[in-house]
Coordinates of all heavy atoms in Angstrom, one line a residue:
P1 N 51.6 58.3 -79.1 CA 51.7 59.7 -79.4 C 51.7 60.6 -78.2 O 52.5 61.6 -78.2 CB 50.5 59.9 -80.3 CG 50.2 58.6 -80.9 CD 50.5 57.6 -79.8
A2 N 50.9 60.4 -77.2 CA 50.8 61.2 -76.1 C 52.1 61.2 -75.3 O 52.7 62.2 -74.8 CB 49.7 60.8 -75.2
V3 N 52.7 59.9 -75.2 CA 54.0 59.8 -74.5 C 55.1 60.5 -75.2 O 55.9 61.1 -74.7 CB 54.3 58.3 -74.3 CG1 55.7 58.1 -73.7 CG2 53.2 57.6 -73.5
A4 N 55.1 60.3 -76.6 CA 56.1 61.0 -77.4 C 56.0 62.5 -77.3 O 57.0 63.2 -77.2 CB 55.9 60.5 -78.8
E5 N 54.8 63.0 -77.2 CA 54.6 64.5 -77.1 C 55.2 65.0 -75.8 O 55.9 66.0 -75.7 CB 53.2 64.8 -77.3 CG 52.9 66.3 -77.2 CD 51.4 66.6 -77.5 OE1 50.6 65.7 -77.8 OE2 51.1 67.8 -77.3
N6 N 54.8 64.2 -74.7 CA 55.3 64.7 -73.4 C 56.9 64.6 -73.3 O 57.5 65.4 -72.7 CB 54.7 63.8 -72.3 CG 53.2 64.0 -72.1 OD1 52.8 65.1 -72.5 ND2 52.5 63.0 -71.7
Y7 N 57.4 63.6 -74.0 CA 58.9 63.4 -74.0 C 59.5 64.5 -74.7 O 60.6 65.0 -74.2 CB 59.2 62.1 -74.6 CG 60.7 61.9 -74.8 CD1 61.5 61.5 -73.7 CD2 61.4 62.1 -76.0 CE1 62.9 61.3 -73.8 CE2 62.7 61.9 -76.1 CZ 63.5 61.5 -75.1 OH 64.8 61.4 -75.2
E8 N 58.9 65.0 -75.8 CA 59.5 66.1 -76.5 C 59.6 67.4 -75.7 O 60.5 68.2 -75.9 CB 58.8 66.3 -77.8 CG 58.9 65.2 -78.8 CD 58.0 65.3 -80.0 OE1 57.3 66.3 -80.1 OE2 58.1 64.5 -80.9
L9 N 58.7 67.5 -74.8 CA 58.6 68.7 -74.0 C 59.8 68.8 -73.0 O 60.3 69.9 -72.6 CB 57.3 68.8 -73.2 CG 56.1 69.0 -74.1 CD1 54.8 69.0 -73.2 CD2 56.1 70.3 -74.8
I10 N 60.3 67.6 -72.6 CA 61.4 67.6 -71.6 C 62.7 67.2 -72.1 O 63.7 67.3 -71.5 CB 61.0 66.7 -70.4 CG1 60.8 65.3 -70.9 CG2 59.7 67.2 -69.7 CD1 60.6 64.3 -69.7
A11 N 62.7 66.6 -73.3 CA 63.9 66.1 -73.9 C 64.8 67.2 -74.4 O 64.3 68.3 -74.9 CB 63.6 65.2 -75.1
P12 N 66.1 67.1 -74.2 CA 67.1 68.1 -74.8 C 67.1 68.1 -76.3 O 66.5 67.2 -76.9 CB 68.4 67.6 -74.2 CG 68.3 66.2 -74.0 CD 66.8 65.9 -73.6
A13 N 67.6 69.1 -76.9 CA 67.7 69.2 -78.3 C 68.5 68.0 -78.9 O 69.5 67.7 -78.3 CB 68.3 70.5 -78.7
P14 N 68.0 67.4 -79.9 CA 68.7 66.3 -80.5 C 70.1 66.6 -81.0 O 70.3 67.7 -81.5 CB 67.8 65.8 -81.6 CG 67.0 67.0 -82.0 CD 66.8 67.8 -80.7
V15 N 71.0 65.7 -80.7 CA 72.4 65.8 -81.2 C 72.5 65.1 -82.5 O 72.0 64.0 -82.7 CB 73.4 65.3 -80.2 CG1 74.8 65.4 -80.7 CG2 73.2 66.1 -78.9
A16 N 73.2 65.7 -83.5 CA 73.4 65.0 -84.8 C 74.0 63.6 -84.6 O 75.0 63.5 -83.8 CB 74.2 65.8 -85.7
E17 N 73.4 62.6 -85.2 CA 73.9 61.3 -85.0 C 74.6 60.8 -86.3 O 74.3 61.3 -87.4 CB 72.8 60.3 -84.6 CG 71.7 60.2 -85.7 CD 70.6 59.2 -85.3 OE1 70.7 58.7 -84.2 OE2 69.7 58.9 -86.1
P18 N 75.4 59.8 -86.2 CA 76.1 59.3 -87.4 C 75.0 58.7 -88.3 O 74.0 58.1 -87.9 CB 77.0 58.1 -86.9 CG 77.2 58.5 -85.4 CD 76.0 59.2 -85.0
P19 N 75.2 58.8 -89.6 CA 74.2 58.2 -90.6 C 73.9 56.8 -90.3 O 72.8 56.3 -90.6 CB 74.9 58.5 -91.9 CG 75.7 59.7 -91.8 CD 76.2 59.6 -90.4
E20 N 74.9 56.0 -89.9 CA 74.7 54.6 -89.7 C 73.7 54.4 -88.5 O 73.0 53.4 -88.6 CB 76.0 53.9 -89.4 CG 75.8 52.4 -89.1 CD 77.0 51.5 -89.3 OE1 77.7 51.6 -90.3 OE2 77.3 50.8 -88.3
N21 N 73.7 55.2 -87.5 CA 72.7 55.1 -86.5 C 71.3 55.1 -87.0 O 70.4 54.3 -86.6 CB 72.9 56.1 -85.4 CG 74.1 55.9 -84.5 OD1 75.0 55.1 -84.9 ND2 74.2 56.5 -83.4
T22 N 71.1 56.1 -87.9 CA 69.7 56.2 -88.5 C 69.4 54.9 -89.4 O 68.3 54.4 -89.3 CB 69.7 57.4 -89.5 OG1 70.0 58.6 -88.7 CG2 68.3 57.6 -90.1
R23 N 70.4 54.5 -90.1 CA 70.2 53.3 -91.0 C 69.9 52.1 -90.1 O 69.1 51.2 -90.4 CB 71.5 53.0 -91.8 CG 71.7 54.0 -92.9 CD 72.7 53.5 -93.9 NE 74.0 53.6 -93.4 CZ 74.9 54.6 -93.6 NH1 74.5 55.7 -94.2 NH2 76.1 54.5 -93.1
L24 N 70.6 51.9 -89.0 CA 70.4 50.8 -88.1 C 69.1 50.8 -87.5 O 68.4 49.8 -87.4 CB 71.5 50.7 -87.0 CG 71.5 49.5 -86.1 CD1 71.7 48.2 -86.9 CD2 72.7 49.6 -85.1
R25 N 68.6 52.0 -87.1 CA 67.3 52.1 -86.5 C 66.2 51.7 -87.5 O 65.3 51.0 -87.2 CB 67.1 53.5 -85.9 CG 65.8 53.7 -85.2 CD 65.7 55.0 -84.4 NE 66.0 56.1 -85.3 CZ 67.1 56.8 -85.2 NH1 68.1 56.5 -84.4 NH2 67.3 57.9 -86.0
E26 N 66.4 52.2 -88.7 CA 65.4 51.9 -89.8 C 65.4 50.4 -90.1 O 64.4 49.8 -90.4 CB 65.7 52.7 -91.0 CG 65.4 54.2 -90.8 CD 65.9 55.1 -92.0 OE1 66.6 54.5 -92.9 OE2 65.5 56.3 -92.0
W27 N 66.6 49.8 -90.1 CA 66.8 48.4 -90.4 C 66.0 47.6 -89.3 O 65.3 46.6 -89.6 CB 68.3 48.1 -90.4 CG 68.6 46.6 -90.5 CD1 68.7 45.7 -89.5 CD2 68.8 45.8 -91.7 NE1 69.1 44.5 -90.0 CE2 69.1 44.5 -91.3 CE3 68.8 46.2 -93.1 CZ2 69.4 43.5 -92.2 CZ3 69.1 45.2 -94.0 CH2 69.4 43.9 -93.6
D28 N 66.2 47.9 -88.0 CA 65.5 47.2 -87.0 C 64.0 47.4 -87.0 O 63.3 46.4 -86.8 CB 66.1 47.7 -85.6 CG 67.5 47.2 -85.3 OD1 67.9 46.2 -85.9 OD2 68.2 47.8 -84.5
N29 N 63.6 48.6 -87.3 CA 62.2 48.9 -87.3 C 61.5 48.1 -88.5 O 60.3 47.8 -88.4 CB 61.9 50.4 -87.5 CG 62.3 51.2 -86.3 OD1 62.6 50.6 -85.2 ND2 62.3 52.5 -86.4
A30 N 62.2 47.9 -89.6 CA 61.6 47.2 -90.7 C 61.6 45.7 -90.6 O 61.0 45.0 -91.5 CB 62.4 47.6 -92.0
D31 N 62.2 45.2 -89.5 CA 62.2 43.7 -89.4 C 60.8 43.2 -89.3 O 59.9 43.8 -88.7 CB 63.0 43.4 -88.1 CG 63.4 41.9 -88.1 OD1 62.8 41.1 -88.8 OD2 64.4 41.6 -87.4
I32 N 60.6 42.0 -89.9 CA 59.2 41.4 -89.9 C 58.7 41.1 -88.5 O 57.5 41.2 -88.3 CB 59.3 40.1 -90.7 CG1 57.9 39.6 -91.0 CG2 60.2 39.0 -90.0 CD1 57.9 38.4 -92.0
I33 N 59.6 40.9 -87.6 CA 59.1 40.6 -86.2 C 58.5 41.9 -85.6 O 57.7 41.7 -84.6 CB 60.2 40.1 -85.3 CG1 61.3 41.2 -85.1 CG2 60.8 38.8 -85.8 CD1 62.4 40.7 -84.2
H34 N 58.7 43.1 -86.1 CA 58.1 44.3 -85.6 C 57.0 44.8 -86.5 O 56.4 45.8 -86.2 CB 59.2 45.4 -85.4 CG 60.3 45.0 -84.5 ND1 60.1 44.7 -83.2 CD2 61.6 45.0 -84.7 CE1 61.2 44.4 -82.6 NE2 62.2 44.6 -83.5
Q35 N 56.7 44.0 -87.5 CA 55.7 44.4 -88.5 C 54.4 43.6 -88.4 O 53.4 44.0 -88.8 CB 56.3 44.4 -89.9 CG 57.5 45.3 -90.1 CD 57.1 46.8 -89.9 OE1 56.1 47.2 -90.4 NE2 58.0 47.6 -89.3
I36 N 54.6 42.3 -88.0 CA 53.5 41.4 -88.1 C 53.1 40.9 -86.7 O 53.9 40.5 -86.0 CB 53.9 40.2 -89.0 CG1 54.1 40.7 -90.5 CG2 52.8 39.1 -89.0 CD1 54.5 39.6 -91.4
N37 N 51.8 40.9 -86.5 CA 51.3 40.5 -85.2 C 51.3 38.9 -85.1 O 50.8 38.3 -86.0 CB 49.8 41.0 -85.0 CG 49.3 40.7 -83.6 OD1 49.2 39.5 -83.2 ND2 48.8 41.7 -83.0

C-alpha cells in the first residue's frame, strides 16, 4: 500500500483502457497460482 500510494503521487492521470485489458488483468489476478501459497 505504501508503494502504491507513492506511485499515485508521481504517476500521470490514467488513460482509458480497452475493456479487454481490464478483463485480462482480472483473469490473471484470479488465477489459482496467485491466490494460494
Side-chain angles (χ1 to χ4, degrees):
V3 175
E5 182 178 353
N6 292 334
Y7 175 77
E8 290 173 359
L9 294 176
I10 61 175
V15 178
E17 64 178 4
E20 179 162 307
N21 286 17
T22 304
R23 291 193 288 268
L24 184 57
R25 184 167 56 251
E26 293 173 349
W27 173 272
D28 288 338
N29 291 350
D31 197 337
I32 191 172
I33 63 175
H34 300 304
Q35 300 294 320
I36 296 180
N37 188 302

